[in-house]
Amino acid sequence: MHSEKLQSSFQKFGELLDVRFSKGVFTTEDSVRYTFFDALHSELGTAPEDIILEAPHPYIERKKMDMLIPEMEDSPEMVCEFKFHGKLPSEQHQPRTQKAGELFVDISRLAIYKKKRQKTECFLVYVTEFEMANYLSNDANRLDDFFNLLPDETLRINAEYFDNRPETFTNTAGVYGIEECDLSHIFSISRDLQNKYFVRIFEINQPR
């Protein structure tokens, strides 16, 4: 069970994004990260020196993690990967199948870390607009069980999960191989954000 303060941080993060998107502020993945850091500072009292950005991944050569907060007296180590799928400036359709695969690359990175450091809390923070949300929710693409995983439910990610899926998706997702893990949906906004943006936060754990 996560602390009330951590859950408050997630809620604050959603509120800050809602304000940002409602004002039409240009947003990138870095913007999403810094908004998340601000929420942690507001609700957890996390200081800038507590947060390590682009920390080398200790178990994947030449790869980095988006955010690492070392273990503190009253909280375990935390690792986060962030993914933001915003609208393309050209208004062209996104390479949706590839981008879906990239989400699972982040999950693999976290699963590999979690396997070695089981006390670490590992989170995927995902923010997207309508096009990718619609793609991930479409039954035909077989990713609805991921994107619309119910709160506190668990989804097992393993080799079987990738059976009979598009080659582009599986080739992208399997760049580190398939590290079995359990995915839990621990936070989402209860309503659509302004301009049809969606927030999902997943926790990655070892299979039970």
Side-chain angles (χ1 to χ4, degrees):
M1 183 66 67
H2 300 293
S3 71
E4 291 184 7
K5 286 187 176 181
L6 184 57
Q7 289 293 338
S8 295
S9 297
F10 296 156
Q11 186 64 45
K12 182 68 174 181
F13 171 61
E15 292 170 0
L16 292 172
L17 284 178
D18 204 3
V19 172
R20 184 181 188 93
F21 292 137
S22 69
K23 293 183 176 181
V25 179
F26 177 71
T27 299
T28 65
E29 190 165 291
D30 279 344
S31 307
V32 171
R33 283 200 244 180
Y34 301 150
T35 301
F36 189 82
F37 302 156
D38 189 67
L40 291 181
H41 174 69
S42 173
E43 302 302 311
L44 289 179
T46 306
E49 63 270 21
D50 297 328
I51 297 173
I52 301 172
L53 306 182
E54 304 295 337
H57 196 300
Y59 311 113
I60 304 177
E61 188 176 0
R62 295 191 298 276
K63 295 300 177 183
K64 298 179 180 179
M65 301 172 295
D66 287 340
M67 186 200 81
L68 167 68
I69 299 179
E71 180 181 4
M72 299 181 188
E73 183 177 347
D74 58 348
S75 60
E77 181 181 61
M78 181 192 300
V79 173
C80 291
E81 291 288 339
F82 296 85
K83 190 67 73 183
F84 173 61
H85 288 152
K87 294 180 181 178
L88 296 177
S90 62
E91 297 298 326
Q92 295 177 348
H93 289 302
Q94 304 188 49
R96 292 167 295 183
T97 305
Q98 180 179 340
K99 288 198 169 189
E102 290 169 356
L103 278 168
F104 283 79
V105 172
D106 283 353
I107 292 170
S108 291
R109 272 201 291 264
L110 291 166
I112 291 167
Y113 195 94
K114 182 72 175 184
K115 184 177 182 179
K116 299 290 187 178
R117 302 189 185 186
Q118 296 189 20
K119 293 182 178 180
T120 299
E121 293 187 328
C122 297
F123 301 107
L124 171 66
V125 180
Y126 182 44
V127 180
T128 187
E129 47 72 52
F130 180 76
E131 183 181 350
M132 278 301 297
N134 186 57
Y135 175 85
L136 294 168
S137 298
N138 190 326
D139 288 343
N141 298 319
R142 300 180 60 212
L143 291 168
D144 178 68
D145 57 352
F146 159 72
F147 188 70
N148 292 315
L149 184 66
L150 293 176
D152 298 322
E153 286 196 348
T154 299
L155 177 66
R156 177 65 53 87
I157 304 298
N158 54 22
E160 292 180 2
Y161 187 81
F162 295 90
D163 287 347
N164 301 316
R165 295 181 185 273
E167 185 177 358
T168 298
F169 172 79
T170 55
N171 287 345
T172 302
V175 66
Y176 304 128
I178 305 302
E179 188 66 48
E180 187 173 40
C181 65
D182 283 344
L183 199 69
S184 299
H185 170 197
I186 61 170
F187 179 80
S188 63
I189 302 300
S190 59
R191 59 183 178 80
D192 295 350
L193 292 177
Q194 297 291 332
N195 300 325
K196 297 291 185 180
Y197 276 79
F198 303 83
V199 176
R200 300 286 188 273
I201 299 179
F202 300 94
E203 184 173 14
I204 288 77
N205 281 302
Q206 281 289 287
R208 296 179 180 179

